Amino acid sequence: MTFFSRLNLQEGLRILSVMQWIPVYLILGTISIISIPYFMMFTRFWCLAVLALAWLAYDWNTHSQGGRHSAWVRNWTLWKYFQSYFPVKLVKTHDLSPKHNYIIGSHPHGIFSYGVFINFATEASGFAQIFPSITPVLATLEWVFWIPIVREYVMSMGICPVSELALEYLLTKKGSGNAVTIVVGGAAEALLCRPGASTILLKNRKGFVKLALKTGAYLVPSYSFGENEVHNQETFPEGTWLRFFQKIIQGAFKKALGINLCTFHGRGLTHGSWGLLPFNQPINTVVGEPLPIPKIKMPNKETVDKYHALYISALRKLFDQHKVEYGLPETQELTII
């Protein structure tokens, strides 16, 4: 095999690793939702469907009680190809002591949150080596864990529901050395993500700060430089039919699934072509300095506002210290709405 054919093979594997990511969830979800009633009603193997439902009922609370991490799944070679496609890098600025628990605030959401997934739900960027003795957990929408098979898959990567019950359990009943990553801006922030933008939803997002105060978990700001550069997003002009339908579709997805459907595009299978693959742009997730938080069982509004302001200040500082290094102009500001 020549050097160029090996190079093409490696590039092809990187592309496939990215292409499989979202479809795998859809395929696993479809299989589980269709197969269980099918086996129950139309085959002699109804007992398998009953066993699957019995297991789901028996295991229902696991995703809210720490889940089931699999070092094997987190270390799949697949994720290394995924990571090298962009590439994605995890950057440490300060140590995280295993004597404490942490809530890592992740910004911005991006269209698909590639950086936060690779850095905190897999070992492709070397989290265990960069932050030894820290157990990472990535929080996502709770309805994902209602789907058989899919819930097992995401739990194996160290993903949990972004619910108060699940997060409090991890931060109070699993000892120390746990780091829960929350994409604070959520799905709504995805609509703000486009190349050159540095606008995040944070001004009225204070639940994660209240959770930190109730559990005594340290707050850690992080910013993924380049996350907004990997897709172009289209917002059609107000008053047009395209914008009218775009709003209807986005509203329907938001109501049904809690996600915002973005109108986006990227590259195709070959460089320079149009498609839905992300552009090969580096994503650098910089993790900042932990902010010590006191443990207060019932924090009042003034206390929450105080530590929310301190977090915003720390995030702005992190952004300003690293923006030029990762491709943004010196004049670029972090806009918080």
Side-chain angles (χ1 to χ4, degrees):
M1 186 180 289
T2 67
F3 170 76
F4 290 106
S5 61
R6 286 199 303 270
L7 189 66
N8 290 336
L9 175 60
Q10 293 297 307
E11 176 65 13
L13 290 172
R14 292 188 191 101
I15 290 172
L16 287 173
S17 72
V18 175
M19 288 178 66
Q20 62 79 36
W21 189 39
I22 300 300
V24 160
Y25 296 106
L26 298 176
I27 293 167
L28 291 177
T30 301
I31 289 172
S32 62
I33 291 169
I34 293 176
S35 63
I36 290 177
Y38 176 78
F39 275 101
M40 186 172 289
M41 294 185 290
F42 301 111
T43 76
R44 294 175 297 171
F45 304 104
W46 57 268
C47 57
L48 295 177
V50 172
L51 285 172
L53 291 174
W55 168 253
L56 186 64
Y58 172 78
D59 196 55
W60 186 253
N61 293 324
T62 298
H63 61 265
S64 295
Q65 296 177 348
R68 277 188 294 273
H69 295 205
S70 169
W72 175 65
V73 175
R74 288 177 57 87
N75 282 281
W76 279 353
T77 303
L78 170 71
W79 308 130
K80 288 297 293 182
Y81 283 111
F82 199 140
Q83 177 268 335
S84 62
Y85 174 92
F86 297 93
V88 175
K89 183 180 179 182
L90 182 62
V91 180
K92 178 175 74 172
T93 62
H94 292 79
D95 290 331
L96 298 183
S97 169
K99 296 179 180 180
H100 306 288
N101 286 324
Y102 304 90
I103 295 175
I104 301 176
S106 177
H107 315 271
H109 183 283
I111 303 295
F112 286 112
S113 299
Y114 296 110
V116 70
F117 172 77
I118 285 296
N119 286 319
F120 300 111
T122 81
E123 284 297 329
S125 56
F127 184 97
Q129 288 73 43
I130 296 171
F131 295 107
S133 301
I134 300 295
T135 302
V137 179
L138 176 61
T140 191
L141 296 167
E142 186 165 17
W143 61 261
V144 172
F145 298 88
W146 302 344
I147 308 172
I149 303 178
V150 173
R151 69 189 297 271
E152 302 293 338
Y153 184 50
V154 296
M155 277 198 293
S156 69
M157 291 181 278
I159 299 177
C160 79
V162 63
S163 67
E164 186 174 4
L165 177 66
L167 299 179
E168 276 197 16
Y169 187 94
L170 285 163
L171 296 170
T172 60
K173 297 181 179 179
K174 294 284 284 184
S176 61
N178 301 294
V180 178
T181 301
I182 301 174
V183 184
V184 179
E189 191 175 83
L191 297 174
L192 305 174
C193 298
R194 49 181 44 84
S198 54
T199 301
I200 63 172
L201 291 178
L202 180 56
K203 194 173 183 179
N204 296 312
R205 304 278 173 134
K206 301 179 181 180
F208 74 106
V209 177
K210 187 176 182 179
L211 178 65
L213 286 162
K214 289 173 68 175
T215 61
Y218 286 19
L219 284 172
V220 185
S222 73
Y223 195 92
S224 292
F225 294 93
E227 186 70 55
N228 285 345
E229 313 302 317
V230 298
H231 285 295
N232 290 322
Q233 184 170 183
E234 301 293 340
T235 301
F236 299 114
E238 291 291 343
T240 65
W241 280 104
L242 286 173
R243 180 59 178 153
F244 174 74
F245 285 116
Q246 187 179 40
K247 283 184 175 180
I248 290 176
I249 294 170
Q250 287 175 341
F253 268 80
K254 178 66 176 176
K255 187 175 181 179
L257 300 175
I259 61 175
N260 281 300
L261 185 66
C262 300
T263 309
F264 69 92
H265 68 86
R267 56 160 285 194
L269 293 176
T270 59
H271 290 283
S273 62
W274 189 96
L276 298 179
L277 284 168
F279 297 115
N280 302 90
Q281 295 289 336
I283 300 174
N284 295 282
T285 301
V286 184
V287 180
E289 182 177 4
L291 177 64
I293 303 291
K295 187 175 182 178
I296 303 172
K297 188 174 182 180
M298 296 288 287
N300 57 33
K301 182 179 182 299
E302 291 73 22
T303 303
V304 172
D305 288 345
K306 172 187 173 181
Y307 284 96
H308 184 257
L310 289 172
Y311 177 85
I312 288 177
S313 177
L315 179 62
R316 287 192 186 277
K317 180 180 177 182
L318 181 73
F319 179 85
D320 289 337
Q321 286 178 336
H322 297 276
K323 61 185 178 183
V324 174
E325 180 182 358
Y326 296 115
L328 295 177
E330 181 67 44
T331 55
Q332 183 101 351
E333 294 185 357
L334 181 64
T335 303
I336 295 176
I337 61 175

